[in-house]
Amino acid sequence: MSIMFPLAIILLLLLFVLGGVSYTHLENVFGIFIPYLALSIFLMGFIYRILSWAKSPVPFRITTVCGQEKSLDWIKANRLESPFNTLDVLKRMALEVLLFRSLFRNTTTELKEGPTLIHWSAKWLWLAGLTFHWSFFIILTRHLRFFTEPVPFAVDLIGRLDNLFEIGVPALYLTDALIVIALTHLFLRRVLIPRIRYISLPADYFPLFLLLSIIGSGMLMRHIYKVDLIKVKELVLSLVSFRPVMVAEGIGTIFYVHLFFVCLLIAYFPFSKLMHLCGVFLSPTRNLANNNRAKRHINPWNYPVKVHTYAEYEDEFREKMKTAEIPVDKE
Ligand code: HEM
């Protein structure tokens, strides 16, 4: 049930764009209005989420550690597992963000016959996650060729490296193949592993379907239903310079399908689990140095503290406690 709901939404939205562009010629709505609307929703939602996170009080260092904290000189500290200063934090964070280090140490546990409890290292999630994120990043970087004139050398180079094996005409980008494999893995593990299926919600399936729809429509556009890339670039450049021109006909409906799904992703982003992209940087369990032994951290709003003593608590709930036969200090 939880899979069918997001799938149905994606199919309905697909019909919406196909109908909108093919039969009613709403190119300007899908090419100009919806992208700007999506960007506005993104900006407002993003700022709102960040501000609400920034407002959460973090009076103490609550770093997650799994190694010896720096203390006396003759005790060997693990500066990566228990970062002591900002440089250590940056190193640990870089490994986390670029290589998903904590996911690399993922283990799984199973009760086998015997009964025997076994634990083993589980690397597939790490591999699929890393492949997806890096491929996504490279695809986005390659797309900068539509947003820039002249196209920067680095963007061009990444495109050429991604095309290294020149399979097919036009050549299949390596990252396109990798991202489809990785997303399929991430989807299948949710469907095929019973415990993961049990905890999976529409909010877990929807981003996967949305990403697959974006990648699928992009690949269709490159390999099967070719579109006029010159006109696409004209439109994109006019959009990013905030001087949108009326969209010329003949770009090809598949482009609007692709763009619409991208807009949906952009607008949905701040309200979804995809915000982990920013959350990882704002997480106090990750972004603080663990120097609790070297430095005394005092809660900045400690005094005056409103205390609710046990005696007051008992005064408040004495009758209820007695009814529930809980012993009380004072009759
Ligand atoms: C989340 C953002 C996006 C993702 C993940 C994405 C993904 C893809 C993928 C996988 C392809 C297949 C070929 C390739 O890898 O280059 C593609 C092609 C394409 N995309 Fe996107 N895309 C995104 C955003 C956009 C945007 C914002 C535009 C323009 C407004 C756009 C325009 C195109 C065009 C014109 C092609 C065809 C390229 C060709 O024929 O070589 N995409 N996209």
Side-chain angles (χ1 to χ4, degrees):
M1 173 59 200
S2 58
I3 308 183
M4 296 314 287
F5 182 60
L7 195 61
I9 291 193
I10 295 277
L11 286 176
L12 275 176
L13 291 169
L14 181 67
L15 291 177
F16 171 67
V17 194
L18 287 177
V21 179
S22 312
Y23 301 107
T24 41
H25 296 286
L26 292 177
E27 280 92 347
N28 288 317
V29 173
F30 287 94
I32 299 174
F33 177 70
I34 292 181
Y36 280 142
L37 180 68
L39 195 67
S40 319
I41 298 176
F42 173 84
L43 287 176
M44 286 186 291
F46 191 85
I47 292 172
Y48 172 78
R49 285 293 293 271
I50 297 288
L51 286 183
S52 65
W53 279 339
K55 274 196 273 180
S56 317
V58 186
F60 300 117
R61 304 274 156 149
I62 51 169
T63 328
T64 355
V65 294
C66 50
Q68 176 63 51
E69 180 181 341
K70 182 175 175 323
S71 55
L72 301 169
D73 284 344
W74 42 271
I75 300 178
K76 193 169 183 301
N78 190 332
R79 301 282 288 257
L80 210 53
E81 302 296 3
S82 186
F84 184 68
N85 55 26
T86 310
L87 185 65
D88 297 346
V89 170
L90 286 177
K91 285 183 199 160
R92 181 163 93 140
M93 200 68 136
L95 286 174
E96 188 60 36
V97 172
L98 301 176
L99 297 175
F100 300 0
R101 180 163 172 265
S102 61
L103 196 55
F104 185 75
R105 292 189 285 197
N106 195 24
T107 54
T108 188
T109 306
E110 209 175 315
L111 194 60
K112 291 273 183 198
E113 275 186 29
T116 328
L117 192 65
I118 55 167
H119 311 270
W120 72 89
S121 148
K123 299 271 185 278
W124 285 111
L125 178 61
W126 168 79
L127 189 65
L130 198 70
T131 307
F132 160 68
H133 283 84
W134 271 106
S135 303
F136 189 81
F137 176 71
I138 294 173
I139 291 172
L140 288 188
T141 312
R142 278 201 281 97
H143 270 62
L144 288 179
R145 73 186 188 279
F146 300 122
F147 292 76
T148 46
E149 186 56 48
V151 178
F153 173 73
V155 173
D156 195 43
L157 182 70
I158 291 176
R160 271 190 269 148
L161 288 176
D162 204 354
N163 241 336
L164 206 61
F165 299 113
E166 299 195 347
I167 306 166
V169 181
L172 175 72
Y173 285 118
L174 218 59
T175 45
D176 285 4
L178 286 174
I179 203 168
V180 172
I181 296 172
L183 282 172
T184 310
H185 174 96
L186 295 174
F187 169 66
L188 288 181
R189 77 180 258 283
R190 281 199 183 277
V191 185
L192 298 180
I193 304 175
R195 356 182 249 295
I196 308 218
R197 190 170 58 230
Y198 184 71
I199 57 165
S200 294
L201 298 170
D204 297 307
Y205 291 114
F206 184 68
L208 287 176
F209 290 146
L210 193 54
L211 285 163
L212 280 167
S213 311
I214 295 174
I215 313 293
S217 53
M219 290 180 71
L220 273 178
M221 189 167 24
R222 179 168 169 83
H223 297 282
I224 300 177
Y225 305 111
K226 306 266 166 37
V227 297
D228 188 335
L229 291 180
I230 309 280
K231 284 185 185 160
V232 167
K233 187 154 180 170
E234 264 168 28
L235 169 66
V236 175
L237 286 178
S238 80
L239 284 177
V240 293
S241 58
F242 291 103
R243 264 172 277 143
V245 287
M246 297 300 266
V247 181
E249 275 195 23
I251 289 189
T253 310
I254 187 76
F255 169 73
Y256 296 100
V257 171
H258 187 62
L259 185 60
F260 181 74
F261 281 136
V262 173
C263 292
L264 205 60
L265 184 77
I266 292 174
Y268 173 66
F269 191 93
F271 312 99
S272 69
K273 65 180 209 173
L274 304 174
M275 273 300 276
H276 70 263
L277 174 76
C278 318
V280 67
F281 296 101
L282 293 178
S283 167
T285 55
R286 293 258 145 217
N287 67 10
L288 292 173
N290 182 29
N291 54 5
N292 288 315
R293 285 187 190 149
K295 192 165 182 282
R296 181 158 182 236
H297 298 285
I298 297 171
N299 184 343
W301 57 90
N302 240 359
Y303 303 100
V305 179
K306 192 176 173 324
V307 183
H308 195 218
T309 62
Y310 178 73
E312 284 167 349
Y313 168 86
E314 202 180 279
D315 284 348
E316 200 178 331
F317 294 105
R318 183 165 299 104
E319 291 315 312
K320 289 194 173 102
M321 288 168 77
K322 280 194 206 160
T323 319
E325 294 181 2
I326 298 173
V328 287
D329 283 356
K330 220 166 47 171
E331 281 302 323

